Amino acid sequence: GVPLGINVEGFERRRDSGTPSFTVGYLARVAPEKGLLALCDAYVRFRRMPGVDQARLEVAGYLAPDQQRYLKDAERRLADAGFGGEFHYRGVLDREQKIDFLRSLDVFSVPTVYVEPKGLFLLEAMACGVPVVQPRHGAFPEMLAKTSGGVLVEPGDSQSLAEGLHRLWKDPALRAQLGQNGADGVREQYSVGRSADRMLEVYERSMC
């Protein structure tokens, strides 16, 4: 098969923001199947862990008119827990804004409820050197095996996801290493050039 590829042009690696606030990010359609509520639940659990005092949950992506209430529910999860000021929805981003958004994150997670076959959003985050925390299903285990750009957690388990976030929060060296791995791994395994080379191989084999 031909691997998924992204055009890594312009996907610069993140620089340390220098702020003490730990930023968790989500960039995907705002919809139940993408798992935003699960991420909100995990974020609340993570924030209640000892020592975690400054953090933010940054969310971006397409919001369909019929998902307005879902977004409100997500915001309410944090507000009810006392962390309402830490949830920010940034709307739909163009390519440049998306890269800026990704580069501002400390960790990225889109804990899809369904078994995600592609996971392009993951490649984009890792291309920017952002470590990821993802459920162990669909395309994610293979992507992370190839890139070593993040950690896998139990699907459908907010506590496991919270522990994944916490592990990266408390270990900046691990974050930096995973971020570096991901940025290098995406360029080696998943860049469009690499994908085209593989396509050519598959095509040439089929011609023989």
Side-chain angles (χ1 to χ4, degrees), residues 103-119:
R103 292 180 70 212
S104 73
L105 307 177
D106 290 298
V107 60
F108 178 89
S109 183
V110 177
T112 61
V113 175
Y114 67 100
V115 173
E116 166 63 62
K118 295 204 287 278

Side-chain angles (χ1 to χ4, degrees), residues 22-161:
F22 183 77
T23 307
V24 179
Y26 167 105
L27 175 59
R29 243 176 337 104
V30 175
E33 63 274 15
K34 294 289 187 185
L36 179 57
L37 276 185
L39 181 58
C40 290
D41 286 341
Y43 179 88
V44 167
R45 287 169 186 255
F46 156 69
R47 273 295 271 114
R48 288 177 170 156
M49 290 175 175
V52 182
D53 59 356
Q54 284 184 299
R56 298 200 301 261
L57 179 55
E58 295 282 339
V59 173
Y62 174 71
L63 176 67
D66 63 350
Q67 298 296 349
Q68 300 277 355
R69 174 168 288 175
Y70 179 76
L71 178 64
K72 286 274 177 287
D73 287 346
E75 290 172 337
R76 195 174 303 119
R77 293 280 164 110
L78 267 70
D80 289 351
F83 307 126
E86 298 175 14
F87 183 103
H88 306 105
Y89 173 61
R90 302 296 181 194
V92 177
L93 308 179
D94 66 23
R95 185 180 167 86
E96 208 169 299
Q97 291 168 328
K98 177 164 68 173
I99 292 168
D100 281 347
F101 176 82
L102 290 169
R103 292 180 70 212
S104 73
L105 307 177
D106 290 298
V107 60
F108 178 89
S109 183
V110 177
T112 61
V113 175
Y114 67 100
V115 173
E116 166 63 62
K118 295 204 287 278
L120 197 61
F121 46 77
L122 211 58
L123 297 182
E124 294 181 334
M126 290 192 293
C128 290
V130 182
V132 301
V133 179
Q134 287 297 113
R136 187 181 284 105
H137 64 44
F140 307 139
E142 186 192 349
M143 282 182 166
L144 292 187
K146 281 185 170 177
T147 61
S148 304
V151 297
L152 292 167
V153 296
E154 293 314 307
D157 184 338
S158 292
Q159 184 61 30
S160 180
L161 181 51

